[in-house]
Amino acid sequence: MLGFLKKPIVVTAEINMNLIALTVMGLVSRLWGLSYPRAVVFDEVYYGQFVSLYMKRIFFVDDSGPPFGHMLLALGGYLGGFDGNFLWNRIGAEYSMNVPVWSLRLLPALAGALCVPLAYQILVELQFSHCAALGAALLILLENSLITQSRFMLLESILIFFILLAVLSYLKFYNLQRHSFFSGSWWFWLLLTGVACSCAVGVKYMGLFTYILLLAIAGLHFWHMIGDQNLSNGGLARITQGQPLEVAYGSQITLRNVLGKPMQCWLHSHTNTYPIRYENGRGSSHQQQVTCYPFKDVNNWWIVKDPGMQQLVVSNPPRPVRHGDIVQLVHGITTRYLNTHDVAAPLSPHSQEVSCYIDYNISMPAQNLWRVEIVNRESDTDVWKTILSEVRFVHVNTSAVLKLSGASLPEWGYRQLEVVGEKLSKGYHQSMVWNVEEHRYGKSQEQKEREVELHSPTQMDISKNLSFMAKFTELQWKILTLKNEDTEHKYSSSALDWITMDTNIAYWLHPTSGAQIHLLGNVVTWASANIAAVVYMCLSLWYLIRRRRKVYDIPEGAWQLWVSAGGICVGGWAVNYLPFFLMEKTLFLYHYLPALTFQILLIPIVLQHLGDHLCRSLLLKSMFSASIVAWFSSVYFVYCTFSPVTYGEPSLSVTELKDLRWKDSWNILIRKH
């Protein structure tokens, strides 16, 4: 009965040492010195705001894209114990000790590292040699731009990881159809393909194009399979649900600036006043400060008041505020009125100061009447609505518009953001538009009772349950229809600049030395990728013309392999690059990285094809192999040359920095002493 114990239990396993070695090298290249620099690097100033909002459990609607990528970055903060207390207002700002820099950058770095073995696996599943697969992985490993982008709290490496995972999963699923139809592995890779595609779309909407590409390839495979005789025959909805929809006189509201840059913030005031004199000698009104504060706070609450009445509660029935109505905005805690006048703003002297009025018994009367203009109204009788309405406040006396300037106030303003009165003649800008995010009908006329009311959470009646799909659909529609302001940036570029890498982005500069980090690619790899794409298309056209004439230069199996590889690599490059020519948004070099990744995968595919089918003699094969070794040595040389501006260390001298400027269009930072 226990005879099976007479023999030892033996477990055998096949271990691909190439895969293990590539994974280790990928991890080392992306994780080494990950906490350096301990300062805000380029778009970390942008994504860090979302992380802080998640850490503080603050609801927000982001106009930059879907939330999954930001949630993954927030997961890194959660794992590191980040409390969200850091003001993301300046690139280069030193991180405080409560910010777990290594943890925040960990997930993008891991995603970037895992792209190396994924590249290897994709070429293996495409039925190319392990040598070609190893070459593809090493090219990804030594690509400076991919290293830089994956070592910081940014999203591109996560997006590329899910895209490559989706491609690999689909290829494994397709290859299993030949012998393991409807097996457990078959279902696993099919499901993982869908999950990876969904995650890619959830990180950035650009992931949708790879999803469509895989659907198209799957459709073609299915079409061929049919003829194969060998086969047998509110989020947002919930947030608004429990709050009054229509803003009325007496409503208690918080106002979020629609622009959301340099960070999400809410109209705010506190008891502190503007300094009598600023450091530059200019004077102020010494009135109560009004700012834009990037966190939820009881001092963000305002009461909408009818100028002709004294009450600060909502009548029964409520009287809704409509487009064009005149209102006063009363600060809930201090009961002072939002005011602007002909006094220069602290940091924007060409704009008016915005304050809460304090009566000092001097010749400075209150000017606290504001006209409500609903920007996205359908008619001039539209009612001001919670979340749905985007409003502009026009000062009745001076015609100035309440605006977020975006500048950070000095220590006396607690580094909060400046709010100013901008003349209406300056034109429309999203920084002038505000949105009611939290709303309740005020019930307490007495100030002490009202303060208790303001400190209590916004009441939500969730008895009227909307379906998950209703909440999901409304939230997605709100995100899709938000307008992202199209602005120029010093390092913005056009899609045409990317192919030849005529542009770069300076991510970080050390405050005292010449150490700096740039988004710059490996010049040899980028040029080789472009050449490989041209060779592939020219050869494909040649083969098609010849096949039309019944001339078959390569075996049918090699032709099918060539076409399938092109569908993945050239198709992946096209769908991740060409749509940018149709987009009206500010573009940066890092937008090209997903397309570049597919183009890099094409290089070893073309090289193997040339070696197998065009180099027919032994001499040609030997010369071709030697040239590949020389070429790959140049790739490694360029990687080492630009490593100091990829990792930010060691610091380079002025001469060394000038030597790295291989193109006149590159902006290598030279510190002037």
Side-chain angles (χ1 to χ4, degrees):
M1 185 176 176
L2 299 177
F4 69 93
L5 294 177
K6 295 179 180 179
K7 294 182 180 180
I9 298 174
V10 179
V11 177
T12 60
E14 291 185 1
I15 300 176
N16 188 331
M17 296 307 296
N18 284 353
L19 205 56
I20 292 177
L22 288 170
T23 304
V24 171
M25 287 191 290
L27 290 170
V28 170
S29 67
R30 270 62 174 179
L31 295 177
W32 178 79
L34 192 60
S35 296
Y36 178 84
R38 193 176 172 82
V40 179
V41 176
F42 201 62
D43 273 355
E44 285 187 337
V45 73
Y46 177 62
Y47 293 117
Q49 299 166 28
F50 302 128
V51 173
S52 286
L53 290 171
Y54 276 118
M55 292 297 99
K56 290 179 173 290
R57 312 291 199 274
I58 295 174
F59 174 80
F60 66 96
V61 178
D62 173 27
D63 63 351
S64 69
F68 183 58
H70 303 149
M71 294 170 72
L72 288 177
L73 297 179
L75 174 62
Y78 174 79
L79 294 175
F82 184 39
D83 57 9
N85 290 320
F86 183 76
L87 190 59
W88 309 85
N89 63 347
R90 179 172 60 86
I91 296 173
E94 291 290 326
Y95 283 121
S96 54
M97 294 307 297
N98 70 303
V99 181
V101 181
W102 192 87
S103 179
L104 286 169
R105 294 172 178 172
L106 176 61
L107 290 180
L110 287 176
L114 293 177
C115 287
V116 177
L118 283 176
Y120 175 87
Q121 287 284 79
I122 287 172
L123 260 70
V124 170
E125 292 298 323
L126 283 170
Q127 311 304 318
F128 284 88
S129 68
H130 285 273
C131 184
L134 185 62
L138 291 176
L139 287 173
I140 298 293
L141 175 72
L142 299 177
E143 174 48 45
N144 299 72
S145 59
L146 295 178
I147 295 173
T148 300
Q149 199 69 16
S150 63
R151 286 174 51 79
F152 301 108
M153 193 172 46
L154 308 172
L155 291 181
E156 273 64 35
S157 63
I158 300 176
L159 173 64
I160 294 170
F161 167 76
F162 283 122
I163 287 175
L164 293 183
L165 181 61
V167 171
L168 175 62
S169 301
Y170 176 75
L171 290 174
K172 283 186 172 290
F173 156 76
Y174 174 70
N175 290 334
L176 282 171
Q177 288 188 148
R178 302 173 184 176
H179 52 81
S180 301
F181 225 90
F182 296 114
S183 65
S185 298
W186 186 89
W187 281 112
F188 171 79
W189 291 112
L190 175 61
L191 291 173
L192 186 57
T193 302
V195 170
C197 285
S198 300
C199 290
V201 177
V203 173
K204 284 198 171 186
Y205 286 126
M206 279 300 298
L208 180 64
F209 296 114
T210 301
Y211 203 167
I212 294 172
L213 173 68
L214 290 179
L215 286 175
I217 293 173
L220 288 173
H221 286 163
F222 180 71
W223 180 256
H224 291 304
M225 186 179 69
I226 292 174
D228 189 349
Q229 298 301 317
N230 295 321
L231 292 175
S232 60
N233 297 334
L236 179 63
R238 177 161 183 166
I239 294 299
T240 58
Q241 182 67 27
Q243 302 183 101
L245 179 62
E246 296 183 347
V247 177
Y249 292 106
S251 284
Q252 298 172 357
I253 61 174
T254 63
L255 290 166
R256 181 181 63 86
N257 190 265
V258 170
L259 180 62
K261 296 178 181 177
M263 62 189 70
Q264 299 275 354
C265 64
W266 292 263
L267 190 67
H268 175 95
S269 186
H270 40 241
T271 55
N272 300 71
T273 59
Y274 291 109
I276 297 177
R277 291 208 172 273
Y278 301 123
E279 293 179 357
N280 59 8
R282 290 190 299 110
S284 78
S285 64
H286 199 45
Q287 299 281 336
Q288 182 172 302
Q289 297 174 18
V290 171
T291 65
C292 205
Y293 187 52
F295 301 107
K296 293 293 184 71
D297 188 86
V298 69
N299 282 310
N300 297 348
W301 284 94
W302 300 82
I303 302 170
V304 181
K305 180 180 175 298
D306 183 346
M309 304 181 68
Q310 291 301 314
Q311 68 181 34
L312 296 177
V313 296
V314 176
S315 60
N316 189 16
R319 292 188 301 123
V321 180
R322 300 181 182 274
H323 170 76
D325 285 355
I326 307 299
V327 302
Q328 292 171 312
L329 293 176
V330 182
H331 188 241
I333 295 298
T334 64
T335 68
R336 293 199 169 108
Y337 290 56
L338 188 70
N339 185 83
T340 188
H341 40 211
D342 191 18
V343 175
L347 302 180
S348 306
H350 298 294
S351 301
Q352 293 180 184
E353 175 194 88
V354 175
S355 62
C356 278
Y357 183 74
I358 303 174
D359 188 1
Y360 288 120
N361 292 320
I362 58 175
S363 57
M364 185 181 288
Q367 300 182 46
N368 51 33
L369 300 179
W370 300 85
R371 184 171 67 253
V372 176
E373 293 188 355
I374 303 176
V375 176
N376 60 341
R377 66 186 181 278
E378 294 181 359
S379 70
D380 287 343
T381 59
D382 273 12
V383 174
W384 184 8
K385 295 179 180 177
T386 306
I387 291 184
L388 302 177
S389 296
E390 296 181 348
V391 300
R392 182 167 52 186
F393 297 99
V394 182
H395 191 237
V396 173
N397 298 74
T398 63
S399 296
V401 182
L402 189 69
K403 176 184 176 182
L404 169 68
S405 77
S408 294
L409 294 169
E411 290 295 336
W412 53 259
Y414 303 102
R415 300 290 179 185
Q416 296 173 18
L417 301 181
E418 181 190 44
V419 173
V420 301
E422 188 79 16
K423 292 293 185 180
L424 188 60
S425 60
K426 297 289 181 66
Y428 167 78
H429 190 272
Q430 282 190 326
S431 59
M432 300 178 179
V433 181
W434 303 82
N435 179 265
V436 174
E437 188 166 278
E438 293 180 280
H439 178 208
R440 64 161 69 91
Y441 281 165
K443 301 176 182 178
S444 305
Q445 184 66 34
E446 295 296 326
Q447 177 60 15
K448 288 186 177 180
E449 295 177 0
R450 189 162 53 244
E451 286 185 16
V452 173
E453 190 176 26
L454 291 170
H455 277 89
S456 65
T458 308
Q459 296 299 314
M460 295 184 186
D461 179 12
I462 58 174
S463 59
K464 299 178 181 178
N465 290 321
L466 293 178
S467 68
F468 170 78
M469 286 308 299
K471 301 172 187 176
F472 180 80
T473 302
E474 184 176 352
L475 181 59
Q476 296 305 312
W477 178 250
K478 180 67 177 177
I479 293 174
L480 284 169
T481 53
L482 280 173
K483 294 181 179 178
N484 200 354
E485 192 72 17
D486 184 23
T487 56
E488 286 297 318
H489 190 280
K490 179 180 180 181
Y491 291 107
S492 62
S493 54
S494 70
L496 284 175
D497 295 330
W498 303 341
I499 295 181
T500 53
M501 203 168 59
D502 286 335
T503 182
N504 72 303
I505 304 176
Y507 271 10
W508 172 79
L509 174 66
H510 193 278
T512 56
S513 71
Q516 52 194 277
I517 295 174
H518 290 259
L519 183 66
L520 267 174
N522 189 306
V523 178
V524 176
T525 302
W526 285 52
S528 302
N530 291 330
I531 294 171
V534 172
V535 169
Y536 180 89
M537 288 185 280
C538 290
L539 273 178
S540 298
L541 181 61
W542 171 257
Y543 288 149
L544 284 171
I545 294 173
R546 299 269 287 175
R547 291 173 71 87
R548 187 66 177 170
R549 301 291 296 172
K550 306 298 182 183
V551 178
Y552 302 98
D553 298 288
I554 57 177
E556 185 63 23
W559 167 250
Q560 294 298 331
L561 192 64
W562 180 254
V563 171
S564 62
I568 293 290
C569 298
V570 177
W573 171 82
V575 299
N576 284 286
Y577 174 58
L578 298 181
F580 284 107
F581 287 97
L582 305 177
M583 294 183 184
E584 295 182 358
K585 60 179 289 186
T586 307
L587 301 178
F588 296 92
L589 181 62
Y590 56 72
H591 286 126
Y592 186 59
L593 296 183
L596 173 71
T597 303
F598 281 100
Q599 210 177 20
I600 290 175
L601 296 181
L602 188 63
I603 298 174
I605 290 172
V606 171
L607 289 176
Q608 179 174 329
H609 183 83
L610 293 176
D612 290 348
H613 301 289
L614 298 184
C615 298
R616 302 186 184 275
S617 69
L618 185 60
L619 177 61
L620 279 177
K621 287 183 179 292
S622 299
M623 293 176 61
F624 186 70
S625 299
S627 63
I628 289 177
V629 172
W631 163 78
F632 199 85
S633 299
S634 66
V635 171
Y636 181 71
F637 171 76
V638 173
Y639 160 76
C640 293
T641 301
F642 284 90
S643 286
V645 293
T646 299
Y647 293 96
E649 53 185 357
S651 177
L652 299 180
S653 65
V654 172
T655 303
E656 290 172 324
L657 288 171
K658 288 181 178 178
D659 289 341
L660 289 182
R661 194 179 182 189
W662 288 11
K663 288 191 174 186
D664 292 337
S665 56
W666 289 357
N667 185 17
I668 304 296
L669 304 178
I670 308 296
R671 191 180 298 278
K672 295 180 179 179
H673 295 285

